[in-house]
Amino acid sequence: MTSLMFFVPIDTNTPAYSQEENNQENDLVFEVQGLRTTPITKNFQLSGEVWEKVCPSNQCQIEEDGYSSYVVLPEPEDTDPRLYTTLFFYIHDNVTNKELTPLQKRFVERYELSISCDVNSVKDIIEQENNIIYKCSSEYPDLSKSNSEENDPTYYFRLEGTYDTQNDTLTGTGEYDRESHDIE
């Protein structure tokens, strides 16, 4: 099983991309730091069936394009805590999309990962001195093309996540659940 992951090296602002063969447990892995200020992706991996569908050539590169300015994070006064953010990125496939112009490629290769995660139980709120850890889960996080056309599916994941308020870090793993061909 193949996946693509990228890390942001600490000494530079340029993401490094690499293919990995070792992620067989999860179809989606991510870690985002600085959600309250400027989100920075520390780890992002797609693998399994979803990766094979979004990168048919298995020779793609991911280029991050930032986060939505709309971010929802749990607060101590929330009665229904949840997390939400969206990562925008490009999946460049110079094999499958070799006949497209650069402008067409920018249009067709742009994706978004909408991460939504609900805190479902009092047991999922862990208070530790000056820190609160929220555990969350959902069946609604989805991966879709930003410029969807009629036949472009949306891929849904079953997600388990953790938000650490002190480190302002959201980590999560997901398993591919289903796809839909509805246009929003």
Side-chain angles (χ1 to χ4, degrees):
M1 191 171 304
T2 301
S3 66
L4 183 75
M5 76 164 66
F6 68 92
F7 297 97
V8 179
I10 295 173
D11 297 327
T12 174
N13 293 332
T14 307
Y17 301 89
S18 66
Q19 291 286 345
E20 291 293 324
E21 296 284 340
N22 58 4
N23 183 20
Q24 296 185 16
E25 290 182 27
N26 299 293
D27 300 307
L28 170 66
V29 175
F30 63 89
E31 179 180 354
V32 183
Q33 193 171 40
L35 285 168
R36 293 191 184 280
T37 55
T38 305
I40 298 171
T41 305
K42 296 293 189 179
N43 186 1
F44 178 57
Q45 300 176 47
L46 290 172
S47 61
E49 186 177 347
V50 171
W51 178 248
E52 293 168 6
K53 290 180 180 190
V54 299
C55 179
S57 72
N58 199 27
Q59 296 179 31
C60 300
Q61 289 186 324
I62 290 181
E63 175 191 354
E64 187 174 327
D65 194 30
Y67 284 83
S68 167
S69 60
Y70 180 70
V71 176
V72 174
L73 298 173
E75 298 293 340
E77 64 273 4
D78 288 348
T79 57
D80 188 20
R82 65 190 64 229
L83 296 106
Y84 181 84
T85 191
T86 302
L87 168 63
F88 299 100
F89 59 96
Y90 293 92
I91 298 179
H92 298 299
D93 188 343
N94 292 328
V95 176
T96 305
N97 298 329
K98 67 182 175 187
E99 302 298 323
L100 300 178
T101 68
L103 182 58
Q104 290 171 328
K105 285 180 61 142
R106 295 291 286 179
F107 186 85
V108 78
E109 293 179 344
R110 189 164 193 260
Y111 283 80
E112 53 192 69
L113 174 64
S114 297
I115 301 166
S116 61
C117 202
D118 298 318
V119 178
N120 297 306
S121 165
V122 69
K123 294 176 185 175
D124 294 334
I125 303 171
I126 303 159
E127 295 181 79
Q128 304 171 332
E129 294 183 26
N130 296 330
N131 193 18
I132 301 173
I133 307 247
Y134 294 92
K135 295 190 178 280
C136 62
S137 62
S138 180
E139 293 181 5
Y140 298 105
D142 65 79
L143 171 68
S144 62
K145 284 190 173 183
S146 294
N147 304 301
S148 294
E149 297 193 24
E150 194 171 314
N151 293 327
D152 291 330
T154 298
Y155 306 100
Y156 293 90
F157 297 89
R158 288 186 310 273
L159 179 75
E160 299 289 328
T162 301
Y163 178 66
D164 180 321
T165 60
Q166 190 169 35
N167 295 320
D168 194 19
T169 301
L170 173 62
T171 57
T173 58
E175 293 180 33
Y176 173 62
D177 187 41
R178 65 194 181 285
E179 73 180 60
S180 169
H181 288 272
D182 298 336
I183 295 180
E184 295 181 24

